[in-house]
Amino acid sequence: QVQLVESGGGLVQSGGSLRLSCAASGSIVRINVMGWYRQAPGKKRELVAGMTWDGVANYADSVKGRFTISRDNAKNTESLQMNSLRPGDAAVYYCNALVTTGSVLEYRAWGQGTQVTISS
């Protein structure tokens, strides 16, 4: 029903920056929450940042002050600007959306994931 496509991952040096983007498509009435999760090898998937329809953002403590989430409701897109990257930020990053569709009040969609690698 809803597809999420991420872009922007890659290899960056410690202290560097990356910008991740995500575009949603499908039977979308409204994307209530868009966010980013990440999963490192051997660890649980964790919330990195999220933003509600009306622009309220929340961040994991580990990324506060370094990462910034933004979204464009008209285009059904979101971005995650990641600055001052650390080795501990290396993971597969997943776009996530909580969507009201034409037939479902709340549908949770996931992107395929994009790899972020940090070199020290």
Side-chain angles (χ1 to χ4, degrees):
Q1 296 190 22
V2 178
Q3 296 79 41
L4 303 179
V5 177
E6 301 116 335
S7 60
L11 172 65
V12 65
Q13 284 190 331
S14 183
S17 299
L18 275 177
R19 186 178 182 86
L20 305 182
S21 297
C22 176
S25 62
S27 179
I28 298 170
V29 173
R30 193 175 86 166
I31 302 178
N32 301 303
V33 181
M34 288 193 90
W36 293 91
Y37 286 71
R38 68 186 181 188
Q39 188 167 20
K43 294 188 177 181
K44 293 182 179 179
R45 189 172 296 190
E46 63 175 356
L47 175 68
V48 176
M51 181 172 278
T52 62
W53 167 263
D54 55 356
V56 177
N58 68 292
Y59 297 91
D61 287 342
S62 61
V63 307
K64 283 180 181 176
R66 300 187 297 122
F67 291 12
T68 303
I69 188 171
S70 60
R71 60 182 287 182
D72 184 329
N73 291 336
K75 297 181 179 178
N76 290 329
T77 59
E78 67 165 346
S79 294
L80 184 69
Q81 178 66 40
M82 305 186 294
N83 298 329
S84 302
L85 284 162
R86 305 166 179 169
D89 294 318
V92 177
Y93 283 70
Y94 297 91
C95 177
N96 174 265
L98 196 59
V99 183
T100 296
T101 72
S103 58
V104 178
L105 185 61
E106 279 196 342
Y107 175 86
R108 184 171 292 278
W110 291 94
Q112 78 283 1
T114 186
Q115 179 71 50
V116 172
T117 304
I118 315 294
S119 64
S120 56

